[in-house]
């Protein structure tokens, strides 16, 4: 009625939401939407989650929907995969993806391969999620990035969010997907607030798996990253813009299937490519992007070799100064861009 009278109604504005709260919202909304969805993992229920991602969900949904498990990744991952084969939609939380190595037989041999090996008769709609990559001061056993490991395996989808919107939209899409999805989060981003649009606040908000996002348009060089390094790329782009260099920053969001078309279109425009990741250099995500660009039509538009910025080729040291030098920093990205542009 007010609209008919010509009055302008104010729409809900964008709000600041942490990645932790965005993940919590996504789990809450999907548990409410579909009774087949349940969450299991170490300390996810009564303790509200090791990182408080599942805060309040056990009190709201009870023991059958939010389940504390023993410290046995192989065991509870096997339970989750079996439940998915039986028609449920489990969300299996690893306290860190480094511990998923205990359960990699279940993730790869049971979950990833079953649909293909059964000629499509067995689907495994499951989400494996938790913190991945470097944290702070937890050394080599807790700081490895598994994007390249899981991205290597057919049968899996692999997503790697950066912002709160990424986290919420990708988790909701992953839970609704009929395939096993590995969701690689960053522990260091959990407490970071991001602007969440009015659209993303909706219970219907999802982000399509397999679609990258251009976070910052530019004309001189393409920066491609996923997870926390996306923020470093944006910071580096701000520094470089003061020197007249405009970087196009692409947030990959999905490792498998990879949206190489968005990267190609950007390289055709900028003629230069720099990839950034927290993982090790050999056989990494950046290596895959460079190979795909070289094999495709965008190669003819490159004016210089692509440059990779990666973690150091060592197990993560414990000392902070060594840790800082083992993962990409803003200065490393700035240096790589200047190398690519020969300036």
């Amino acid at each position: 009625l007010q609209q008919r009278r010509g009055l302008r109604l104010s729409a809900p504005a964008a709000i600041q939401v942490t990645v932790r709260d965005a993940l919590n919202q996504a789990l809450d909304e999907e548990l409410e939407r579909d009774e087949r969805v349940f969450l299991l993992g170490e300390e996810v229920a009564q303790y509200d989650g090791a990182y408080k991602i599942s805060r309040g969900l056990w009190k709201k949904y009870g023991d059958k929907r939010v389940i504390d498990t023993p410290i046995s990744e192989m065991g509870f991952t096997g339970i989750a995969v079996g439940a998915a084969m039986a028609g449920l939609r489990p969300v299996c939380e690893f306290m860190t993806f480094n511990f998923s190595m205990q359960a990699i037989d279940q993730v790869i041999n049971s979950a990833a391969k079953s649909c293909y090996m059964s000629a499509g008769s067995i689907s495994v709609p499951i989400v494996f999620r938790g913190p991945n990559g470097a944290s702070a001061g937890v050394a080599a056993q807790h700081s490895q990035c598994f994007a390249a490991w899981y991205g290597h395996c057919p049968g899996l989808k692999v997503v790697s969010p950066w912002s709160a919107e990424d986290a919420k939209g990708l988790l909701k899409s992953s839970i609704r997907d009929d395939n096993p999805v590995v969701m690689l989060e960053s522990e260091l981003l959990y407490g970071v607030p991001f602007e969440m649009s009015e659209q993303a606040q909706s219970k219907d908000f999802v982000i399509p798996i397999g679609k990258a996002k251009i976070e910052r348009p530019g004309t001189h060089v393409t920066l491609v990253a996923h997870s926390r390094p996306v923020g470093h790329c944006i910071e580096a782009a701000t520094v470089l813009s003061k020197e007249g260099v405009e970087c196009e920053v692409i947030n990959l969001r999905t490792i498998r299937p990879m949206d190489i078309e968005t990267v190609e279109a950007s390289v055709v425009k900028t003629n230069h490519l720099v990839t950034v990741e927290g993982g090790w250099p050999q056989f990494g995500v950046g290596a895959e992007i460079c190979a795909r660009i070289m094999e495709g039509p965008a190669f003819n538009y490159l004016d210089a070799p692509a440059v990779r910025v990666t973690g150091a080729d060592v197990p993560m040291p414990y000392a902070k100064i060594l840790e800082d030098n083992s993962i990409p920093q803003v200065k490393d990205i700035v240096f790589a861009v200047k190398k690519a542009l020969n300036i």
Side-chain angles (χ1 to χ4, degrees):
L1 184 60
Q2 287 177 311
Q3 286 177 319
R4 288 182 180 178
R5 290 172 180 166
L7 298 176
R8 184 177 179 182
L9 298 177
S10 59
I15 58 173
Q16 293 282 314
V17 177
T18 65
V19 171
R20 173 183 290 109
D21 288 340
L23 290 165
N24 181 266
Q25 284 177 26
L27 287 169
D28 188 8
E29 290 170 7
E30 294 305 302
L31 283 163
E32 182 181 63
R33 175 181 172 272
D34 189 342
E35 64 180 12
R36 296 172 297 173
V37 175
F38 71 98
L39 173 65
L40 80 166
E42 296 154 357
E43 297 184 347
V44 299
Q46 296 187 42
Y47 188 67
D48 278 343
Y51 306 97
K52 306 307 175 194
I53 303 299
S54 53
R55 185 178 59 243
L57 299 180
W58 174 68
K59 289 180 180 176
K60 184 173 181 180
Y61 295 101
D63 291 326
K64 288 187 176 181
R65 306 289 302 283
V66 184
I67 303 168
D68 278 330
T69 65
I71 304 174
S72 175
E73 279 75 15
M74 183 184 292
F76 70 73
T77 305
I79 290 170
V81 172
M85 290 177 174
L88 300 179
R89 305 187 84 88
V91 179
C92 179
E93 177 179 307
F94 295 120
M95 199 174 287
T96 157
F97 259 95
N98 296 266
F99 301 159
S100 75
M101 294 296 93
Q102 298 287 332
I104 198 164
D105 176 58
Q106 302 287 3
V107 177
I108 304 301
N109 288 323
S110 298
K113 299 177 183 177
S114 287
C115 185
Y116 183 86
M117 293 176 69
S118 67
S121 63
I122 300 175
S123 63
V124 190
I126 186 172
V127 178
F128 305 102
R129 55 154 297 273
N132 169 73
S135 182
V138 291
Q141 290 95 333
H142 299 76
S143 297
Q144 184 174 335
C145 177
F146 291 91
W149 283 52
Y150 286 118
H152 179 66
C153 302
L156 291 178
K157 295 184 178 181
V158 183
V159 298
S160 181
W162 168 59
S163 67
E165 283 198 9
D166 288 350
K168 181 178 181 181
L170 287 171
L171 180 52
K172 288 171 72 72
S173 287
S174 299
I175 292 172
R176 297 181 189 189
D177 201 287
D178 288 333
N179 300 281
V181 182
V182 172
M183 182 160 176
L184 304 171
E185 302 155 12
S186 169
E187 181 183 340
L188 295 175
L189 289 176
Y190 281 155
V192 178
F194 289 87
E195 188 173 279
M196 184 174 279
S197 66
E198 176 195 352
Q199 179 190 12
Q201 296 169 45
S202 164
K203 290 184 178 182
D204 298 321
F205 176 72
V206 293
I207 289 174
I209 294 173
K211 184 62 182 170
K213 180 185 180 185
I214 297 174
E215 297 287 351
R216 177 183 175 126
T219 54
H220 295 128
V221 61
T222 299
L223 297 178
V224 186
H226 66 95
S227 191
R228 189 165 175 256
V230 174
H232 295 339
C233 287
I234 291 173
E235 290 181 47
T238 302
V239 171
L240 287 160
S241 68
K242 296 174 183 176
E243 301 180 34
V245 177
E246 293 301 327
C247 303
E248 181 146 295
V249 179
I250 296 178
N251 174 9
L252 206 53
R253 295 202 295 199
T254 303
I255 307 301
R256 184 183 185 106
M258 186 178 285
D259 182 5
I260 204 67
E261 292 80 12
T262 294
V263 180
E264 285 178 336
S266 180
V267 170
V268 166
K269 180 172 69 171
T270 67
N271 311 117
H272 298 88
L273 173 64
V274 174
T275 67
V276 186
E277 63 189 304
W280 294 317
Q282 195 155 315
F283 313 112
V285 174
E288 174 66 16
I289 294 169
C290 291
R292 299 277 284 274
I293 291 298
M294 190 194 74
E295 293 167 351
F299 173 72
N300 296 313
Y301 291 84
L302 279 175
D303 287 343
V307 179
R308 291 181 293 157
V309 180
T310 71
D313 198 20
V314 296
M316 181 64 72
Y318 173 69
K320 180 168 175 29
I321 189 168
L322 296 177
E323 181 183 72
D324 289 344
N325 282 281
S326 296
I327 52 178
Q329 307 293 332
V330 172
K331 62 181 175 59
D332 302 316
I333 301 169
V334 171
F335 178 82
V337 167
K338 290 183 175 182
K339 177 182 176 182
L341 295 174
N342 196 27
I343 58 175

